Amino acid sequence: MSTTPEFGSLRSDDDNWDIVSSVGYTALLVAGWRALHAMSPQPLVRDDYAKVFIAASQDPYLAATLANPGTSEDEMAFPRLYGVQTRFFDDFFVDAGAAGIRQAVIVAAGLDSRAYRLEWPQETTVFEVDLPKVLEFKARVLNEQGAAPKARRVEVAADLRTDWSRALEAAGFDVERPSAWSVEGVLPYLTDDAQNTLFTRISGLSAPGSRIAIGALGSRLDHDQLEALETAHPGVNMSGDVDFSALTYEPQTDPAERLAAHGWVVEPVRNTLDLQAGYGMTPPEVDVKIDSFMRSQYIMATR
């Protein structure tokens, strides 16, 4: 298995990936940050499956990082920020369940383990949408661990750039019942047209009372500002050798505006600093600097 992702080239409309290449590797990287966050003294969330995915991938960079984790504020910056993001989506699904919603859809599920981690209400179905190779890797690793989901978990092997809504309905999704949708970190990897199509399809599938949460640490990476940050805070290591600029697209339309145009009632948009304050945290200087150029955005809306 190759553990060195190919970066530096432009995306194509029909490119594909597994968990150790291209966009798929970013899911593995985020799992590594979740694993590191779980090692911190007071983690906001604990994802004990994250380190298992890293071990199974045999990725040398992430394995070495987990074996010798940093402890300073700078070294733990991205694990901390992804801990905040994970908590945001965890709380979203818990609140949706408390409101009576029994269908959850995790868009571009990657190595999301919420079907196994969260305490879901009875009769909840969690649909996970992603490419077949990504879902196959996750299922294999979790089966080897003897992990059991805490809700009815349904895989939907599909490409978000195609009409995945048909596959979702064929898997048992009920368009007449309210649903809760998470769109975590995926928008920067979709073209503007693909994003619009994604929101159109989600909106068409969402009965009144449905909820959606969207969020990412940033829409696009500015390398000059990242280099300046790493000079001022040498302990920061965002991603090893991953070049996000080769994988992402320049955003054209604000996702909150897209939701409103599709008939969603959008709550006030927050950034990661707002979320930290809500969790009783004081963002350190490095987090403030990171957010100044990555421009995080966390959105919730109701249909």
Side-chain angles (χ1 to χ4, degrees), residues 197-215:
T197 300
L198 175 68
F199 284 116
T200 299
R201 289 191 172 125
I202 289 176
S203 299
L205 292 165
S206 298
S210 294
R211 301 183 180 191
I212 190 170
I214 302 169

Side-chain angles (χ1 to χ4, degrees), residues 131-197:
L131 290 178
K133 291 181 180 179
V134 175
L135 293 174
E136 288 166 6
F137 172 82
K138 177 159 65 174
R140 175 176 62 79
V141 173
L142 293 174
N143 287 340
E144 289 173 354
Q145 294 294 311
K150 297 182 178 181
R152 178 173 174 261
R153 176 178 173 267
V154 178
E155 293 183 354
V156 181
D159 191 322
L160 291 178
R161 298 166 297 187
T162 65
D163 191 0
W164 51 270
S165 60
R166 295 184 180 183
L168 180 64
E169 289 189 76
F173 179 86
D174 186 352
V175 296
E176 301 297 326
R177 298 170 58 204
S179 47
W181 301 79
S182 68
V183 183
E184 181 177 3
V186 68
L187 293 185
Y189 304 104
L190 298 175
T191 65
D192 197 58
D193 286 345
Q195 288 187 31
N196 186 56
T197 300

Side-chain angles (χ1 to χ4, degrees), residues 6 19 25 28 32 56 82-83 107 114 117 121 129 154 195 220 293 295:
E6 296 291 335
I19 204 64
Y25 186 77
L28 191 66
Y82 270 93
V107 176
R114 290 186 176 92
R117 290 192 298 105
V129 184
V154 178
Q195 288 187 31
R220 191 167 178 84
F293 67 86
R295 299 184 299 278

Side-chain angles (χ1 to χ4, degrees), residues 204-231:
L205 292 165
S206 298
S210 294
R211 301 183 180 191
I212 190 170
I214 302 169
L217 281 185
S219 58
R220 191 167 178 84
L221 183 61
D222 185 308
H223 283 282
D224 291 339
Q225 290 180 300
L226 178 60
E227 288 177 5
L229 174 77
E230 291 174 339
T231 298

Side-chain angles (χ1 to χ4, degrees), residues 276-293:
Q276 284 174 293
Y279 299 139
M281 304 167 62
T282 300
E285 178 188 1
V286 64
D287 293 12
V288 176
K289 288 184 176 179
I290 289 171
D291 201 68
S292 71
F293 67 86

